[in-house]
């Protein structure tokens, strides 16, 4: 697929996907969503990609939905094609079910749907120039990608309600203090830091990363006793894998393990 609104780059064992509508603050148009879906599905299925990074070009990571296109889309006559909200639903479903580690590198403004995309990531790193907020209330719009659901779980109910109700933007450093952002870097260092982080993660067993991600996600939705039993069962099953034996053999032989992902 030829991409016009995103850029897909492979860097070592990671794939970087940049939202690339800088003049529109990387807002989510139908074409961008379709291309982003295609790229995510491509790298998810590519065994040479072990870590996925999402970032943006220009001054924004993503400012949310393209509201002009959304309004036009809502007014169009039914034609059997998916509308922007349906496509956005597909996008968030895909993001929520990625099996590979996902890092969001917030290069700039991260608002509304952009924040919702960022919150699907396993790790968020932000430039010191990034401003982050929900912003839906500023336009009389409700969240639809997890803003009212994930944000309270990430930063606490009271802080989330403040951001949801006021539509205010806050600094990346504040979001780090709230626990949403893992690290804040100088703007010029963002990609270098994230690439080093992606490289570090990519050296781990792809099978372990996949299972760890699943266990964390599932465990949050289960009673503690059940989650602990599932974790132990996963470990027992994992002992039959190549990567389990390779990791222990490499430790014993004092060498770097060669993980295969099975």
């Amino acid at each position: 697929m030829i991409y016009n609104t995103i850029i897909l780059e492979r860097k070592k064992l990671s794939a970087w996907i940049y939202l690339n509508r800088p003049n529109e603050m990387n807002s989510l148009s139908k074409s961008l969503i379709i291309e982003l879906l295609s790229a995510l599905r491509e790298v998810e299925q590519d065994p040479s990609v072990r870590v996925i990074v999402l970032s943006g070009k220009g001054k924004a990571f993503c400012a949310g939905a393209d509201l002009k296109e959304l309004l036009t889309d809502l007014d169009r006559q039914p034609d059997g094609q998916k509308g922007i909200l349906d496509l956005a639903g597909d996008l968030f479903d895909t993001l929520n079910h990625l099996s590979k580690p996902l890092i969001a590198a917030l290069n700039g403004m991260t608002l509304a749907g952009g924040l919702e995309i960022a919150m699907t990531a396993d790790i968020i790193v932000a430039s010191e120039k990034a401003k982050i907020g929900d912003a839906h209330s500023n336009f009389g719009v409700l969240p639809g990608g997890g803003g009212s659901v994930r944000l309270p779980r990430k930063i606490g109910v009271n802080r989330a309600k403040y951001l949801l109700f006021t539509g205010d933007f806050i600094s990346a450093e504040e979001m780090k203090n709230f626990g949403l952002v893992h690290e804040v870097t100088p703007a010029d260092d963002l990609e270098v830091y994230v690439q080093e982080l992606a490289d570090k993660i990519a050296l781990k067993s792809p099978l372990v990363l996949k299972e760890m991600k699943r266990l964390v996600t599932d465990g949050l939705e289960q009673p503690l006793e059940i989650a602990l039993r599932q974790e132990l069962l996963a470990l027992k099953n994992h002992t039959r894998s190549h990567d389990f034996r390779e990791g222990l053999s490499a430790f014993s032989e004092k060498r770097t393990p060669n993980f295969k992902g099975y």
Side-chain angles (χ1 to χ4, degrees), residues 85-98:
L85 292 180
D86 292 323
L87 287 169
D90 292 344
L91 173 61
F92 282 102
D93 185 62
T94 297
L95 288 165
N96 293 335
H97 291 93
L98 288 175

Side-chain angles (χ1 to χ4, degrees), residues 30-252:
K30 289 174 69 172
S31 58
L32 186 148
I33 295 172
I34 290 169
E35 291 184 10
L36 181 53
L37 272 168
S38 175
L40 287 169
R41 290 165 178 167
E42 177 182 337
V43 298
E44 171 77 352
Q45 297 301 317
D46 186 345
S48 70
V49 173
R50 295 191 176 183
V51 179
I52 303 169
V53 181
L54 282 180
S55 193
K57 291 294 185 180
K59 297 181 179 180
F61 170 72
C62 176
D66 185 323
L67 297 181
K68 292 180 180 179
E69 185 170 324
L70 174 60
L71 188 59
T72 300
D73 192 56
L74 292 174
D75 289 338
R76 70 183 173 86
Q77 294 298 315
D79 57 6
Q81 301 297 314
K82 284 190 174 183
I84 192 169
L85 292 180
D86 292 323
L87 287 169
D90 292 344
L91 173 61
F92 282 102
D93 185 62
T94 297
L95 288 165
N96 293 335
H97 291 93
L98 288 175
S99 65
K100 298 178 179 180
L102 176 64
I103 302 174
L106 309 185
N107 55 296
M109 297 292 284
T110 303
L111 310 174
L115 174 57
E116 291 173 319
I117 288 174
M119 287 193 295
T120 68
D122 303 299
I123 300 172
I124 300 175
V125 181
S127 159
E128 63 186 359
K129 293 184 178 180
K131 295 292 184 181
I132 304 169
D134 179 74
H136 283 100
S137 64
N138 295 339
F139 306 100
V141 178
L142 284 172
S148 65
V149 178
R150 277 201 172 93
L151 195 58
R153 300 182 185 198
K154 298 282 189 179
I155 67 173
V157 172
N158 290 344
R159 288 168 176 161
K161 283 182 178 178
Y162 175 84
L163 291 177
L164 288 162
F165 294 171
T166 65
D168 284 353
F169 316 153
I170 64 175
S171 70
E173 194 64 43
E174 286 180 279
M175 273 300 195
K176 180 184 177 183
N177 292 335
F178 291 171
L180 180 71
V181 170
H182 167 71
E183 188 59 83
V184 178
T185 73
D188 292 341
D189 297 340
L190 177 65
E191 292 199 10
V192 172
Y193 179 91
V194 172
Q195 186 62 56
E196 290 176 350
L197 177 60
D199 291 344
K200 181 178 183 179
I201 294 171
L203 293 177
K204 314 303 182 185
S205 160
L207 181 59
V208 164
L209 295 174
K210 177 181 178 179
E211 284 299 294
M212 281 183 170
K213 182 167 179 171
R214 181 186 67 80
L215 286 168
V216 171
T217 301
D218 292 351
L220 289 172
E221 304 301 326
Q222 296 171 334
L224 178 61
E225 184 178 347
I226 293 175
L228 290 171
R229 283 204 302 266
Q230 291 296 321
E231 182 187 64
L232 181 57
L233 178 60
L235 172 59
K236 290 179 178 178
N237 290 335
H238 181 63
T239 60
R240 297 193 290 269
S241 70
H242 166 275
D243 283 3
F244 176 82
R245 294 190 175 276
E246 170 62 13
L248 296 188
S249 296
F251 174 78
S252 177

